[in-house]
Amino acid sequence: PDAEKLPVIGGGCGSVDEMRQCGSDHEDTVMFGLLRLGFGEGRLKRTKYAFVHLIGSAVSVVKRGRFNAVRPDMEQAVSKFTHWSVAFHDVATDDLTLESVIERVRKVAVLDEEILEGDDVSKSIFSIEAFRRALEEEQAALVSDCQLEEQVDESLQEDEEFQLEDQDACETPVEEDDSPPNSHL
């Protein structure tokens, strides 16, 4: 792990399960990552972040000690991007489960009673079911965005008047706060 370069070995929209799989694919290293977790729907949707410190099962004791010493630097580097609600330290890959993550988030989450007042919603917004509904909603939106992007690309390719400079401008990556990946390791 390098707190200055922050190399990314994996990321995506599959959240906890995808991060655990990525960790399983790299059992010979110590990894640090960030999970974005959505809960609820509509105006009751909440986003929580979790800092994750995974230790692969094939990491030697010496390597584990050396890389674990980097944790404070990694926490500081990742904190420049977002504040997290919960941290998972020294976690074995197999122990990173949706149930364990949601249980920890539920312990630190605070709900605004005024927001819930008058709504037909339980106070268990931080549940596995609420997480899965929010994740499905996000993934459907990403699929929709990708399909729209493909349609625009096809239209632009068919348009003979479209200039190369314009196409280059369209391909410049733009970071959007409302649809980032759900995990990075």
Side-chain angles (χ1 to χ4, degrees):
D2 185 333
E4 290 186 25
K5 294 181 182 175
L6 293 176
V8 176
I9 61 170
C13 300
S15 199
V16 178
D17 295 333
E18 188 173 38
M19 181 178 271
R20 184 178 54 252
Q21 181 59 52
C22 181
S24 293
D25 293 343
H26 297 88
E27 287 286 354
D28 61 336
T29 191
V30 173
M31 297 157 277
F32 297 90
L34 189 64
L35 276 170
R36 184 176 62 90
L37 304 153
F39 295 91
E41 300 170 84
R43 71 186 193 92
L44 295 176
K45 183 164 183 167
R46 300 290 179 263
T47 301
K48 299 294 179 187
Y49 293 90
F51 178 82
V52 180
H53 173 198
L54 286 178
I55 300 173
S57 61
V59 177
S60 70
V61 175
V62 173
K63 189 174 179 182
R64 179 182 301 201
R66 195 174 77 234
F67 284 168
N68 285 350
V70 177
R71 187 177 81 201
D73 295 334
M74 293 300 289
E75 287 177 333
Q76 185 176 7
V78 172
S79 71
K80 293 176 184 174
F81 299 101
T82 190
H83 172 75
W84 56 84
S85 305
V86 64
F88 294 86
H89 296 295
D90 306 324
V91 177
T93 303
D94 291 341
D95 293 338
L96 183 68
T97 64
L98 183 57
E99 292 79 11
S100 67
V101 170
I102 290 176
E103 180 182 327
R104 293 275 299 278
V105 169
R106 192 180 293 140
K107 287 180 181 178
V108 299
V110 177
L111 292 175
D112 185 344
E113 295 295 325
E114 292 176 15
I115 292 174
L116 294 176
E117 197 173 303
D119 281 320
D120 185 25
V121 65
S122 75
K123 293 183 182 181
S124 64
I125 191 171
F126 297 105
S127 67
I128 291 174
E129 295 78 23
F131 170 78
R132 287 199 172 132
R133 281 193 306 272
L135 184 60
E136 287 172 6
E137 184 179 285
E138 289 174 5
Q139 289 174 337
L142 287 172
V143 167
S144 178
D145 288 348
C146 289
Q147 289 171 345
L148 178 61
E149 194 173 298
E150 287 173 9
Q151 291 172 354
V152 168
D153 287 347
E154 287 172 12
S155 295
L156 292 175
Q157 289 174 359
E158 292 172 4
D159 186 354
E160 293 177 17
E161 307 250 333
F162 186 68
Q163 300 297 315
L164 183 58
E165 304 90 44
D166 296 334
Q167 188 174 5
D168 289 343
C170 291
E171 292 175 356
T172 302
V174 176
E175 189 173 300
E176 296 179 22
D177 291 337
D178 61 345
S179 64
N182 287 324
S183 66
H184 278 103
L185 264 179

